[in-house]
Amino acid sequence: MARSYYLFRNGRLRRHQNTIYLEYGDEEGRRPIPIEDVRELYLFGEIDLNTKLLNFLGSHGVMVHFFNYYGFYTGSFCPREGNVSGHLLVRQVEHYLDPAKRLYLARQFVEGALFHIRRNLAYYQRRGKGLDVPLATVEGCLSEIGRCADIPALMGVEGRAHDAYYAAFNLVMDLEAPFQQRVRRPPDNLINALLSFGNTLLYTVTLTEVYVTQLNPTISYLHEPSQRRFSLALDIAEIFRPLIVDRVIFRVVNRNMIGEDDLEPLGESQGVYLSEEGRKTFVRALEETLATTVYHRALKRNVSYRQLLRLEAYKLVRHLIGMEEYRPFKAWW
């Protein structure tokens, strides 16, 4: 079964027949990676490659995600789309240009996100963490979604829910230093570094799953389409961030798998980034979660968390072509 490969060491990626080789240039020689085993590549180290390799990867539908020295995402190599539908593209654009249709979809993405935020808080509330106030705030925000008249109002409601949610992190996790607020560019503490890294990884995983469908990843509904990112992946990932990324963060922090010692200063700025060892630990925990399976009540079979992302994209396809009204995924277990 194809899987994701995360390459942290410096080296060169080369192709020989149907195998990719990561050449280290030391006593370890080179590491073979059969192309049939590769779903996507994550390149964190200083890795040299050439257009011959990219052509080979593109012909096999393999995406490559690039990260800089600090582990910050810089971009993706996307193979030529092989599953294209002009009809669906027209429908995607129609739903973006029609304010009512766009607002409906944006509301669904926010509802799915806040549902899982509430689910996380309720989980820890049942374990005596005293989360009545943030739970009440999130409940109130959920009730406001249907009354939001436009995207900015909807984003405002989601922002208030996230503020209450992040304030609860100090009760959910055993932190050495209190978590004050969400800071993105650059992250200023351990939790912000984990959130930024985890959210970026989920975005790239979601992008890979959207790519398999006929959806155009640049046309989105909650997030404004942008030349610099595939914003539909952000829309779909929004639903799953609390369910996947945040739960992984809670686990690695509370089990002391990642701590303050896994941070490195970001140059002369006040920012920090995860060390290579910290990134490796987080990747292992995230991949373990993505591979976890649950019994899907509609499909009558087990599916992984990663497959849930692709199924969500197909649900959106069915909505856009008028087959079935889209409703966001909501965990039932």
Side-chain angles (χ1 to χ4, degrees):
M1 179 180 294
R3 66 184 183 90
S4 303
Y5 282 83
Y6 297 81
L7 307 181
F8 289 90
R9 293 195 58 189
N10 297 343
R12 297 194 307 166
L13 270 176
R14 292 292 182 267
R15 171 210 173 182
H16 179 66
Q17 296 182 346
N18 283 332
T19 302
I20 304 169
Y21 288 94
L22 179 61
E23 301 173 346
Y24 294 126
D26 57 21
E27 68 280 359
E28 292 189 26
R30 57 182 187 173
R31 173 187 179 187
I33 307 174
I35 190 63
E36 296 82 3
D37 292 348
V38 184
R39 176 193 297 114
E40 56 194 340
L41 292 171
Y42 289 80
L43 306 187
F44 290 93
E46 295 293 328
I47 297 174
D48 294 330
L49 47 82
N50 55 31
T51 56
K52 181 178 179 180
L53 176 68
L54 290 177
N55 287 329
F56 178 61
L57 294 172
S59 67
H60 285 81
V62 175
M63 299 191 75
V64 186
H65 306 295
F66 298 91
F67 297 77
N68 67 14
Y69 172 83
Y70 302 104
F72 298 149
Y73 174 70
T74 55
S76 296
F77 164 74
C78 299
R80 185 182 65 182
E81 293 179 314
N83 193 13
V84 180
S85 169
H87 173 67
L88 180 60
L89 177 60
V90 170
R91 299 296 293 168
Q92 269 191 265
V93 174
E94 286 178 351
H95 280 70
Y96 171 76
L97 294 176
D98 186 309
K101 291 179 178 179
R102 180 185 177 187
L103 183 60
Y104 172 82
L105 287 171
R107 283 172 173 165
Q108 303 312 305
F109 295 133
V110 172
E111 181 181 327
L114 267 55
F115 173 89
H116 289 118
I117 284 176
R118 180 180 62 185
R119 181 177 181 272
N120 284 352
L121 293 174
Y123 174 87
Y124 286 98
Q125 172 77 346
R126 292 193 296 271
R127 283 152 180 76
K129 294 296 185 178
L131 302 175
D132 304 77
V133 173
L135 264 171
T137 300
V138 174
E139 289 279 7
C141 290
L142 272 166
S143 68
E144 291 182 43
I145 290 175
R147 298 194 296 272
C148 292
D150 52 33
I151 303 296
L154 188 61
M155 296 287 276
V157 168
E158 185 184 33
R160 293 203 308 275
H162 271 102
D163 287 344
Y165 179 50
Y166 290 142
F169 277 21
N170 292 300
L171 297 174
V172 169
M173 289 180 282
D174 300 321
L175 301 176
E176 297 179 35
F179 180 60
Q180 302 293 341
Q181 62 180 345
R182 181 75 174 102
V183 177
R184 293 173 173 80
R185 299 184 184 88
D188 63 348
N189 58 34
L190 175 64
I191 302 305
N192 278 317
L194 288 169
L195 284 168
S196 292
F197 187 61
N199 290 342
T200 295
L201 290 181
L202 182 61
Y203 162 76
T204 56
V205 171
T206 307
L207 176 59
T208 299
E209 297 306 317
V210 169
Y211 175 79
V212 174
T213 74
Q214 295 176 315
L215 290 166
N216 185 305
T218 65
I219 302 171
S220 54
Y221 305 99
L222 176 61
H223 297 86
E224 195 66 36
S226 168
Q227 293 181 344
R228 299 180 60 189
R229 57 187 180 180
F230 298 104
S231 45
L232 184 60
L234 293 174
D235 280 1
I236 295 174
E238 195 78 15
I239 300 170
F240 292 89
R241 277 165 46 192
L243 181 66
I244 297 176
V245 175
D246 297 350
R247 294 301 293 263
V248 169
I249 292 173
F250 299 158
R251 184 165 80 250
V252 298
V253 171
N254 285 337
R255 294 182 183 178
N256 296 315
M257 297 165 63
I258 296 179
E260 298 291 335
D261 292 342
D262 292 296
L263 292 179
E264 299 285 351
L266 187 61
E268 298 180 355
S269 73
Q270 298 300 311
V272 295
Y273 67 97
L274 284 176
S275 66
E276 180 177 315
E277 193 58 39
R279 295 197 295 270
K280 288 180 178 178
T281 300
F282 190 90
V283 162
R284 286 193 293 267
L286 180 67
E287 280 295 322
E288 179 183 320
T289 296
L290 290 171
T292 300
T293 60
V294 297
Y295 184 75
H296 198 288
R297 296 181 297 187
L299 298 178
K300 307 298 182 184
R301 61 179 174 86
N302 288 335
V303 300
S304 68
Y305 277 50
R306 182 186 287 273
Q307 289 171 316
L308 289 172
L309 293 167
R310 185 179 300 188
L311 290 172
E312 200 68 9
Y314 280 125
K315 282 165 55 180
L316 182 58
V317 170
R318 291 196 295 273
H319 173 87
L320 293 170
I321 63 178
M323 288 181 59
E324 177 183 344
E325 189 171 71
Y326 175 78
R327 295 293 296 163
F329 172 79
K330 296 180 179 180
W332 54 82
W333 56 91

